């Protein structure tokens, strides 16, 4: 939450392909870096490589996207966007950022139903890892996908949609099934929201807070039994929360989720109405989120177990607090995508933004995972986690089906990485 959205100019290579991830904790091990400008060039590159991965905006905090072979950026491919008002879909290039897509859609009178807290992330990368926004009835970003185009291991171009076999297994594909080049997303009519920040929520009111608005994020520092901030993103035509809403008080000025960071980087608050894409994210597209470095972990749990899970984490709050910048709690609606962290269950997402000190953070991550183990946690695929492969597999009913799909589409492990090999051994 505290890194700029691109490397500094001096670190930006001439070919435009990043050599490290957004947070700076992963330096890519690829032998070669590529930025093709045509589909034919990309297909030849994929067909001729023994190991290859696509890289977007680099917002993963682990080595899911790292490879010792070829790393390819799709930012040089034609940036065409095709809106289909009759089908209410939009087809976009994989490398497009959500913020740029949202601006285009709003100008055309359309919207996406959900957005993540950062509009700087690429569409394909967010979808592939099951990245999400928030809301009691909002699915994660991958649930909007109506179709995919990808280059498979032999260089062929494969197009699939919701009527295709195994489509639900291919959407959250971890980049392991091929290089996704285009995605078709569902759209809805554009809409306006207001954002209100409330302070000091009692823990027992958390469930009611989550159900109170279109999208809700709750921030805590694990230093107090009360929850520090509630960011409510409600439809603009709904009445504002009453002065005594759930025992909280209204923020009297704009806030940043991380204490001490500049609020001008954040989307408008204090109930000021505005279009969906300027309220659903926490951060504004034209600004860097803030400054500094970080690591992130995130776990998705059954929403019904929220109170018990948070009580379990209270037992390690004394470990969490010293290495934490902020913790965000969100809800995400259930879906049917095989490797989605929300597959089959309405979820509570517990997101930790840590300090940028792996030696200090990793033992705390292990303690958090031990506490959450009784609740069948699913890690965000692109964050820092250490859960055992069998524990992760046990939480996904279609895990074996995805493994079989992986072996069928990529029989020679062209798109595999060390992290994938741990969780999906060949």
């Amino acid at each position: 939450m505290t890194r700029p959205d691109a490397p500094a100019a001096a670190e930006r290579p001439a070919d435009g392909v990043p050599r490290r991830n957004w947070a700076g904790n992963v330096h890519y091990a690829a032998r070669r870096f590529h930025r093709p400008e045509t589909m034919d060039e990309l297909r030849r590159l994929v067909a001729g490589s023994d190991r290859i991965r696509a890289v977007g905006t680099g917002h993963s905090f682990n080595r899911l996207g790292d490879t010792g072979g070829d790393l390819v950026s799709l930012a040089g491919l034609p940036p065409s966007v095709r809106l289909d008002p009759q089908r209410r879909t939009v087809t976009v290039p994989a490398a497009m950022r959500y913020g740029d897509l949202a601006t285009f859609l709003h100008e055309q009178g359309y919207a996406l139903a959900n957005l993540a807290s950062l509009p700087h992330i690429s569409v394909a990368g967010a979808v592939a890892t099951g990245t999400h926004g928030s809301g009691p009835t909002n699915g994660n970003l991958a649930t909007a996908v109506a179709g995919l185009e990808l280059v498979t291991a032999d260089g062929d171009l494969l197009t699939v949609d919701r009527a295709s076999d195994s489509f639900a297994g291919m959407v959250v594909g971890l980049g392991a099934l091929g290089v996704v080049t285009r995605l078709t997303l569902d759209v809805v009519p554009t809409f306006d929201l207001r954002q209100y920040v409330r302070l000091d929520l009692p823990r027992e009111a958390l469930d009611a807070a989550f159900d109170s608005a279109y999208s809700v994020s709750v921030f805590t520092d694990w230093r107090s039994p009360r929850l520090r901030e509630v960011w409510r993103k409600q439809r603009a035509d709904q009445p504002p929360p009453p002065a005594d809403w759930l025992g909280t008080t209204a923020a009297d000025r704009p806030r940043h989720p991380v204490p001490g960071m500049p609020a001008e980087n954040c989307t408008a608050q204090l109930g000021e109405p505005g279009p969906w894409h300027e309220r659903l994210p926490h951060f504004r597209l034209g600004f860097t989120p803030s400054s500094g470095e970080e690591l992130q972990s995130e776990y998705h749990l059954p929403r019904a177990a929220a109170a018990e899970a948070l009580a379990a984490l209270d037992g390690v709050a004394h470990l969490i607090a010293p290495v934490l910048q902020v913790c965000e709690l969100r809800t995400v609606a259930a879906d049917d995508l095989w490797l989605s962290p929300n597959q089959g269950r309405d979820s509570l997402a517990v997101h930790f933004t840590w300090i940028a000190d792996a030696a200090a953070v990793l033992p705390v991550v292990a303690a958090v995972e031990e506490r959450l183990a009784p609740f069948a946690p699913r890690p965000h695929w692109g964050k820092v986690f250490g859960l055992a492969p069998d524990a992760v597999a046990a939480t996904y009913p279609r895990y074996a089906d995805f493994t079989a799909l992986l072996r069928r589409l990529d029989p020679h492990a062209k798109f595999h990485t060390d992290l994938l090999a741990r969780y999906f051994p060949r």
Side-chain angles (χ1 to χ4, degrees), residues 147-150 157-161 164:
L148 289 172
E149 176 188 272
L150 66 160
L157 196 61
L158 175 64
T159 302
V160 295
D161 59 25
S164 304

Side-chain angles (χ1 to χ4, degrees), residues 378-410:
R378 292 171 177 166
H380 186 297
W381 292 107
K383 311 288 186 183
V384 174
F385 65 94
L387 290 166
D390 58 347
V392 176
T395 71
Y396 285 98
R398 304 299 299 271
Y399 204 87
D401 294 325
F402 181 82
T403 301
L405 178 64
L406 177 62
R407 291 171 177 166
R408 176 165 63 85
L409 287 183
D410 186 20

Side-chain angles (χ1 to χ4, degrees), residues 62-395:
N62 58 34
R63 293 193 173 275
L64 177 66
D66 197 18
T67 179
D70 295 288
L71 198 68
V72 56
S73 167
L74 306 185
L77 295 181
S80 61
V81 177
R82 185 172 69 254
L83 179 66
D84 188 333
Q86 290 188 325
R87 295 185 179 180
R88 287 201 172 180
T89 62
V90 63
T91 301
V92 304
M96 191 170 200
R97 298 188 304 172
Y98 270 98
D100 298 321
L101 171 59
T103 300
F104 166 82
L105 286 176
H106 179 65
E107 290 172 350
Q108 303 300 314
Y110 290 94
L112 299 171
N114 207 356
L115 287 173
S117 60
L118 282 175
H120 309 72
I121 59 179
S122 68
V123 174
V127 165
T129 52
T131 298
H132 59 90
S134 176
T137 61
N138 295 329
N140 67 39
L141 302 182
T143 61
V145 176
L148 289 172
E149 176 188 272
L150 66 160
V151 177
T152 58
D154 54 9
D156 287 345
L157 196 61
L158 175 64
T159 302
V160 295
D161 59 25
R162 288 185 175 124
S164 304
D165 291 343
S166 303
F167 176 76
M170 298 178 69
V171 177
V172 182
L174 311 183
L177 306 176
V179 176
V180 173
T181 54
R182 299 183 68 78
L183 304 93
T184 299
L185 308 177
D186 296 328
V187 298
V188 298
T190 192
F191 57 97
D192 288 346
L193 296 171
R194 298 178 188 265
Q195 182 166 222
Y196 294 91
V197 176
R198 305 290 302 199
L199 309 178
D200 298 321
L201 179 76
R203 177 81 70 85
E204 59 270 19
L206 179 61
D207 206 49
F210 281 141
D211 287 331
S212 71
Y214 186 84
S215 176
V216 176
S217 292
V218 178
F219 295 95
T220 183
D221 56 13
W222 292 102
R223 290 178 169 86
S224 167
R226 294 173 76 92
L227 303 167
R228 184 169 52 81
E229 293 179 2
V230 184
W231 288 38
R232 298 179 67 257
K233 302 162 191 283
Q234 66 173 60
R235 293 274 189 172
D237 58 358
Q238 298 297 305
D244 60 349
W245 181 78
L246 296 180
T248 64
T249 58
D252 60 358
R253 55 181 173 80
R255 301 289 180 124
H256 189 290
V258 179
M261 302 310 297
E264 57 264 28
N265 293 348
C266 298
T267 49
Q269 302 163 31
L270 303 178
E272 179 185 340
W276 59 283
H277 66 296
E278 295 179 358
R279 296 297 180 274
L280 279 176
H282 299 331
F283 301 103
R284 299 166 64 184
L285 180 62
F287 288 74
T288 53
S290 53
S291 60
E293 295 186 346
E294 68 190 52
L295 298 173
Q296 291 183 13
S297 300
E298 181 173 279
Y299 302 93
H300 293 244
L301 318 165
R303 182 176 171 181
E308 290 180 85
L310 295 178
L313 289 176
D314 286 338
V316 289
H318 64 290
L319 301 178
I320 294 171
V323 295
L324 183 72
Q325 294 192 48
V326 72
C327 177
E328 182 175 3
L329 310 175
R330 310 180 182 104
T331 58
V332 190
D335 61 61
D336 63 354
L337 304 175
W338 295 0
L339 287 191
S340 164
N342 316 113
Q343 192 277 332
R345 64 193 198 189
D346 292 334
S347 303
L348 170 74
V350 185
H351 179 282
F352 299 94
T353 297
W354 309 108
I355 62 173
D357 183 343
V361 167
L362 291 179
V364 181
V365 169
V368 165
E369 293 178 350
E370 182 178 6
R371 286 283 173 156
L372 293 180
F375 309 102
R378 292 171 177 166
H380 186 297
W381 292 107
K383 311 288 186 183
V384 174
F385 65 94
L387 290 166
D390 58 347
V392 176
T395 71

